[in-house]
Amino acid sequence: QVQLVQSGAEVKKPGASVKVSCKASAYTFTSYYLHWVRQAPGQGLEWMGVTNPSSGATSYAQKFQGRVTMARDTSTSTLYMELSSLRSEDTAIYYCAREGGGIAARLRTLDYWGQGTLVTVSS
Amino acid sequence: DIQMTQSPSSLSASVGDRVIITCRASQSISSYLNWYQQKPGKAPNLLIYGASSLQSGVPSRFSGSGSGTDFTLTISSLQPEDFATYYCQKSNSNPWTFGQGTKVEIK
């Protein structure tokens, strides 16, 4: 069954960068868009961006432009999200999620989610 | 960017109650509207996509309706496992903004 397994929790200092990974299994990695969503403690969900794992093309929420990089490694079916210039407000659980339907027939919905990665930014 | 507004922000209901949550978009999003359920400490779970299509494996007591700017999620008979937070999300174009969430609590 489809699985997205994310890397473990991270603690970073303000100004540092963090790189979170998301390893996909049980489906063709290059056939489905992958998104990143984050959730600050006790808060709602915030969409960060999307990657086409086949072409590598990305689209980021304007809020994160210039600070976020989403990349993929097709040889290992792994998606990466790097966020730089971290501040305390970036403390959150970061989720990767697969978009249903496939690149050729997008359903524009997030049907499988990773377990989440807690990133804590603290001096 | 299009804003998504859910109401109410929270509600208290009893097992067996009919529950309706609304989501309003600041501009038309056609039927590109998803609903997710999230329980504490867990990732969100897809309930409804395309405004009214029930995700496989989701109980039929969940239903969605609407198009354009106004949408509803209905739980026809609330069950103990339905106490959670519910989010709508637009997906017609980037960014795929979420509503602020509706927490459904036990009365």
Side-chain angles (χ1 to χ4, degrees):
Chain A
Q1 93 185 30
V2 172
Q3 275 197 306
L4 299 172
V5 179
Q6 298 183 224
S7 50
E10 303 262 13
V11 179
K12 296 292 183 182
K13 293 194 182 301
S17 297
V18 68
K19 192 171 187 177
V20 179
S21 68
C22 169
K23 184 172 177 58
S25 61
Y27 76 94
T28 302
F29 178 70
T30 52
S31 294
Y32 293 80
Y33 286 97
L34 284 164
H35 297 243
W36 289 95
V37 174
R38 77 176 186 179
Q39 186 170 38
Q43 302 301 308
L45 301 168
E46 182 173 32
W47 184 84
M48 298 181 69
V50 56
T51 297
N52 177 332
S54 178
S55 66
T58 58
S59 178
Y60 305 138
Q62 188 167 10
K63 175 176 180 176
F64 301 102
Q65 290 274 3
R67 277 209 306 144
V68 71
T69 302
M70 297 176 187
R72 92 290 189 220
D73 182 343
T74 57
S75 68
T76 60
S77 298
T78 302
L79 184 73
Y80 298 94
M81 187 283 299
E82 184 169 23
L83 189 62
S84 62
S85 302
L86 290 169
R87 34 208 188 229
S88 58
E89 311 89 88
D90 295 317
T91 294
I93 298 173
Y94 290 76
Y95 294 101
C96 61
R98 193 190 81 162
E99 180 178 331
I103 289 173
R106 299 180 76 176
L107 287 180
R108 296 187 171 274
T109 191
L110 303 177
D111 61 354
Y112 288 93
W113 293 66
Q115 83 277 17
T117 297
L118 175 62
V119 175
T120 303
V121 182
S122 174
S123 55
Chain B
D1 291 348
I2 296 173
Q3 304 304 311
M4 305 300 294
T5 304
Q6 285 181 237
S7 61
S9 296
S10 65
L11 64 91
S12 296
S14 300
V15 172
D17 283 354
R18 181 181 182 88
V19 169
I20 297 174
I21 299 168
T22 67
C23 179
R24 175 164 288 176
S26 59
Q27 298 175 40
S28 177
I29 58 171
S30 185
S31 294
Y32 293 101
L33 191 284
N34 306 308
W35 289 99
Y36 301 90
Q37 175 194 68
Q38 187 180 33
K39 296 181 180 179
K42 299 292 187 182
N45 181 51
L46 175 65
L47 299 175
I48 301 286
Y49 64 95
S52 60
S53 295
L54 190 68
Q55 173 68 354
S56 176
V58 174
S60 59
R61 62 180 179 274
F62 292 94
S63 65
S65 65
S67 66
T69 60
D70 294 302
F71 303 88
T72 59
L73 173 70
T74 301
I75 309 173
S76 60
S77 177
L78 198 66
Q79 297 302 300
E81 60 269 29
D82 300 337
F83 292 96
T85 300
Y86 294 83
Y87 294 94
C88 64
Q89 179 198 35
K90 66 172 279 291
S91 59
N92 61 314
S93 62
N94 297 342
W96 285 24
T97 308
F98 290 89
Q100 81 278 15
T102 296
K103 187 172 185 178
V104 176
E105 299 176 301
I106 301 172
K107 194 171 189 178

